[in-house]
Amino acid sequence: DSTLDIDDGISVEVLKSSDDKSNDTTDPDNSQRRYRYWIHIADVDRWAPRGSPLLKAAERRGTSLYLATSTLCMFPPNMSSGVMSLESYDDKHALSLGVELNADGSIIPSSILVTPSMIQVDYRLSYDQVDEMLDEGVGYTEEWQIGAMLEAATKRRAHRVAHGSTEGMVPFPIPKGVVSAEYDEEKGDYDVSLKIETTHNSGANVTLEGE
């Protein structure tokens, strides 16, 4: 939830079939509709091209470090959380991958598209917010794209497991822990919190928090 350098996003495109005579391309309940699922990755190369001093400095750092009290960014913070970040409501440069799926979750090879793009993110959601929207049904009605992506992810995961993916070798989702610390001036000490959640592609997010 606290991440500022947002480097990826997902979306769903509704496609018309050749025998679909309707002009409405926004109705997800139309049985003749096909979906194209998009994955958008921030186009960092646009701002830090290969061989540039900026990229060389980032290569020396290797990665961003997320510490309990601060973050050490691989790129300058004003860039990694600015022009390089897929912030909401702004036009952003990205590299986008679009695919269609068969009913069994396999990718249709001829549907694969990879293209530079300019995208505008409608809004940012945490995994917990998505789970809540699905539980309340909003993810299948007003925000139907969320339900469509869950259905696609479930099919895709089942297909991967059936074809030997290591996801199927782990009986339970592997949890992820996040430790954060905030300095309390009155106490003169840090308040430390621990957040544990299951991996987001497990199909069931469970978040526990404690101090």
Side-chain angles (χ1 to χ4, degrees), residues 171-191:
F172 301 101
I174 299 174
K176 178 182 72 173
V178 178
V179 178
S180 59
E182 184 175 349
Y183 187 74
D184 189 322
E185 294 184 357
E186 293 184 0
K187 295 191 300 184
D189 201 355
Y190 284 93
D191 289 329

Side-chain angles (χ1 to χ4, degrees), residues 37-167:
Y37 304 94
W38 287 97
I39 301 169
H40 310 282
I41 306 298
D43 187 3
V44 176
D45 187 67
R46 181 179 181 85
W47 308 105
R50 298 169 202 183
S52 66
L54 182 59
L55 183 60
K56 290 179 180 178
E59 289 174 343
R60 287 196 296 270
R61 296 186 180 94
T63 186
S64 295
L65 298 178
Y66 297 92
L67 307 177
T69 57
S70 63
T71 299
L72 304 178
C73 297
M74 184 167 62
F75 290 101
N78 63 330
M79 295 190 69
S80 62
S81 60
V83 293
M84 292 180 174
S85 180
L86 300 182
E87 301 170 297
S88 302
Y89 311 120
D90 288 329
D91 291 338
K92 294 293 183 177
H93 294 277
L95 183 65
S96 298
L97 165 68
V99 299
E100 294 179 60
L101 299 180
N102 290 306
D104 65 352
S106 60
I107 294 175
I108 301 175
S110 61
S111 75
I112 298 174
L113 295 174
V114 180
T115 180
S117 62
M118 177 77 75
I119 68 170
Q120 187 173 109
V121 177
D122 288 336
Y123 48 77
R124 174 186 174 189
L125 295 172
S126 68
Y127 299 133
D128 289 340
Q129 288 173 322
V130 169
D131 285 344
E132 183 178 351
M133 294 173 74
L134 291 170
D135 289 340
E136 294 178 352
V138 178
Y140 301 100
T141 53
E142 293 95 330
E143 306 296 341
W144 60 266
Q145 296 93 335
I146 294 175
M149 285 187 283
L150 174 62
E151 181 180 359
T154 301
K155 289 180 179 179
R156 182 66 186 150
R157 179 182 173 86
H159 177 80
R160 285 167 52 84
V161 170
H163 289 76
S165 169
T166 56
E167 294 169 279

